[in-house]
Amino acid sequence: MSKYHHGDVRNVLLQQAENILIDEGPAGLSLRRLARLTGVSEAAPYRHFDGKDGILAAVAISAFERFAEQLEVAAASTENHEERVMALGAAYVQFAVENPQHFRLIFGRERPPLDQYPELRDAADNAFDVLQRAVTSVDRKAEMTLTEAATAYNRALAAWSRAHGIAMLVIDGMIVPPADQELSNFVLGLLAEDLTIPASA
Amino acid sequence: MSKYHHGDVRNVLLQQAENILIDEGPAGLSLRRLARLTGVSEAAPYRHFDGKDGILAAVAISAFERFAEQLEVAAASTENHEERVMALGAAYVQFAVENPQHFRLIFGRERPPLDQYPELRDAADNAFDVLQRAVTSVDRKAEMTLTEAATAYNRALAAWSRAHGIAMLVIDGMIVPPADQELSNFVLGLLAEDLTIPASA
DNA sequence: GCTTTAATGTTAACGAAGTTAACATAAGAA
DNA sequence: TTCTTATGTTAACTTCGTTAACATTAAAGC
């Protein structure tokens, strides 16, 4: 009787870790519990990962990759700059709402330190590159002056900020999207909101 | 020799907890360490607080109160609606930047559950009331129709979202405010950014 | 095929943490 | 003064992250 576990422990651990993370967050992800659930000894995970941070890093990497993919899809959905920014913001929030724990993991402070996990840093950089490229690149025909480029950059930050804020506030329950409306419509409405007063009497 | 500690243990614990929280966050706040630092037995904190969450709740309550105060100051700084929204946003981000750990505590998931700490819930509600009142109340003379009210509410959410996003991204180091610029100016610039494209050719 | 070695498991231990129970002392009410 | 309550203390229990020491499997070299 093979008392030892065979091959695929690493992947099983990762999948189980995802499951725990999804419904309890990083706090609930205990290595010992993970090992127990996986049916493996309590020290086994350490053969495959660099401790708890190692597992979180692995999960975070795949989360970043999915995040970047979905952003790219949104960015590719239209050629129009304004529409693209909106689509990106909606995709950004949608990812957060559909994967709140992953979103918190990749942005929060329980994310393992980037300088200790180069692959994690790469994954993060890539995701934000996608974001920034898609927001800053206006239609290619238009050559930009320097000030135009600065404006575009500021716009990117502003768009990113609002999307991030909506995402955070929604997954933290501070904003409750109306039940009778598509989430994406609600988000798009917020994203498009212009704060400048039209013309005060 | 009085082996026992005298009166003010609760306040000393709270102050020490603040100190730990400020430079290590809730994760580094261990009850045992807190007790050791305060020079009191390891079980003593349980006589004054409902466990770790109890201490975090107490700290969060005072954080909410300071937050609300500063928002009110900003809201009272001007009568003009647009300026008020901007000032509020700047104050919001400023609080986050000056008190990142407190900001994370009151918004993040390590915040004790609101339904278990009524005073915490009250403090939170009050802060957001201040926010919403200040953002949605346009000049009183103008009576609002229903759709105008809805628009004002949406604007409040949009403004709040962007301020929150900026705050989060800045304290998480994802956005680095330019060193050669006042933080408030940077924030005001972002808050005022309109995403709609002027007039595409 | 046999032996050596690296990879992968296991058990057992250490220290730190949150929490609670059982007990001790102080302070105030009766 | 005595009884009661608030406040401390010590000691224990459980869980956790992590590591050391040992066991087994599988692969590489001969």
Side-chain angles (χ1 to χ4, degrees):
Chain A
M1 75 160 187
S2 69
K3 214 172 49 176
Y4 280 24
H5 256 78
H6 57 306
D8 207 25
V9 178
R10 192 191 142 99
N11 280 339
V12 179
L13 282 174
L14 253 188
Q15 183 54 53
Q16 204 79 29
E18 282 265 345
N19 293 340
I20 297 180
L21 183 93
I22 285 171
D23 42 58
E24 305 199 31
L29 200 170
S30 121
L31 286 199
R32 302 180 97 115
R33 192 150 80 98
L34 174 58
R36 274 190 305 262
L37 286 183
T38 312
V40 86
S41 89
E42 294 182 337
Y46 290 87
R47 296 292 175 194
H48 300 277
F49 298 96
D50 178 20
K52 184 168 183 173
D53 268 5
I55 294 192
L56 289 180
V59 175
I61 289 171
S62 79
F64 264 124
E65 288 167 350
R66 267 194 310 134
F67 188 40
E69 280 169 25
Q70 299 187 15
L71 292 181
E72 295 215 63
V73 169
S77 69
T78 172
E79 284 291 313
N80 177 273
H81 179 262
E82 186 179 0
E83 286 178 13
R84 194 168 56 232
V85 172
M86 294 294 155
L88 263 177
Y92 193 102
V93 176
Q94 191 187 4
F95 179 88
V97 170
E98 288 175 356
N99 313 276
Q101 301 287 13
H102 291 87
F103 189 78
R104 279 196 263 258
L105 175 61
I106 64 183
F107 281 107
R109 69 227 137 306
E110 33 231 321
R111 181 191 60 201
L114 294 183
D115 50 347
Q116 276 175 43
Y117 297 90
E119 295 184 52
L120 181 55
R121 155 142 280 146
D122 292 345
D125 286 349
N126 179 57
F128 301 130
D129 276 1
V130 170
L131 202 58
Q132 180 163 328
R133 261 201 314 273
V135 178
T136 56
S137 79
V138 298
D139 316 273
R140 283 197 217 85
K141 321 171 182 180
E143 292 292 326
M144 283 194 292
T145 69
L146 265 181
T147 59
E148 281 170 347
T151 301
Y153 180 69
N154 253 23
R155 250 210 268 271
L157 286 189
W160 184 17
S161 297
R162 192 176 278 171
H164 193 73
I166 296 172
M168 279 292 188
L169 292 173
V170 169
I171 68 181
D172 280 344
M174 322 290 310
I175 292 183
V176 182
D180 61 349
Q181 196 181 10
E182 280 271 3
L183 175 71
S184 66
N185 285 337
F186 172 70
V187 173
L188 289 175
L190 283 186
L191 287 174
E193 198 69 55
D194 177 11
L195 293 191
T196 59
I197 295 271
S200 78
Chain B
M1 77 161 189
S2 71
K3 215 174 48 176
Y4 279 25
H5 256 79
H6 56 304
D8 210 23
V9 178
R10 191 192 142 100
N11 279 339
V12 179
L13 282 173
L14 252 188
Q15 183 54 53
Q16 204 78 29
E18 281 265 344
N19 293 340
I20 297 179
L21 183 94
I22 284 171
D23 42 57
E24 304 199 34
L29 199 169
S30 117
L31 286 199
R32 301 179 96 113
R33 191 151 81 98
L34 175 58
R36 273 190 308 259
L37 287 182
T38 310
V40 85
S41 89
E42 293 181 338
Y46 289 88
R47 295 293 176 193
H48 300 277
F49 298 96
D50 179 20
K52 184 168 186 174
D53 268 5
I55 293 191
L56 289 180
V59 176
I61 287 171
S62 78
F64 263 124
E65 288 167 351
R66 267 195 309 132
F67 187 40
E69 280 169 25
Q70 299 189 16
L71 292 182
E72 294 213 64
V73 170
S77 70
T78 173
E79 283 291 312
N80 178 273
H81 180 262
E82 186 178 359
E83 284 178 16
R84 193 165 58 229
V85 171
M86 293 296 155
L88 263 177
Y92 193 103
V93 176
Q94 192 187 3
F95 179 87
V97 170
E98 288 175 357
N99 314 275
Q101 301 289 12
H102 291 87
F103 189 79
R104 278 196 265 258
L105 175 61
I106 66 182
F107 281 109
R109 68 227 136 307
E110 33 232 321
R111 181 191 60 201
L114 293 184
D115 49 348
Q116 275 174 46
Y117 297 91
E119 296 184 50
L120 181 56
R121 155 141 282 145
D122 291 346
D125 286 349
N126 178 56
F128 299 131
D129 276 1
V130 170
L131 201 60
Q132 180 163 327
R133 261 201 314 273
V135 179
T136 55
S137 78
V138 299
D139 316 271
R140 284 197 215 86
K141 323 174 184 180
E143 291 292 328
M144 284 194 291
T145 68
L146 265 178
T147 60
E148 279 169 349
T151 301
Y153 181 70
N154 251 26
R155 249 211 267 271
L157 286 188
W160 183 17
S161 297
R162 193 177 277 170
H164 193 73
I166 295 172
M168 279 292 190
L169 292 172
V170 169
I171 69 181
D172 280 344
M174 321 291 309
I175 291 183
V176 182
D180 62 349
Q181 196 181 10
E182 281 271 6
L183 175 70
S184 66
N185 285 338
F186 172 69
V187 173
L188 290 175
L190 283 187
L191 287 175
E193 197 69 55
D194 178 12
L195 292 190
T196 59
I197 295 273
S200 77

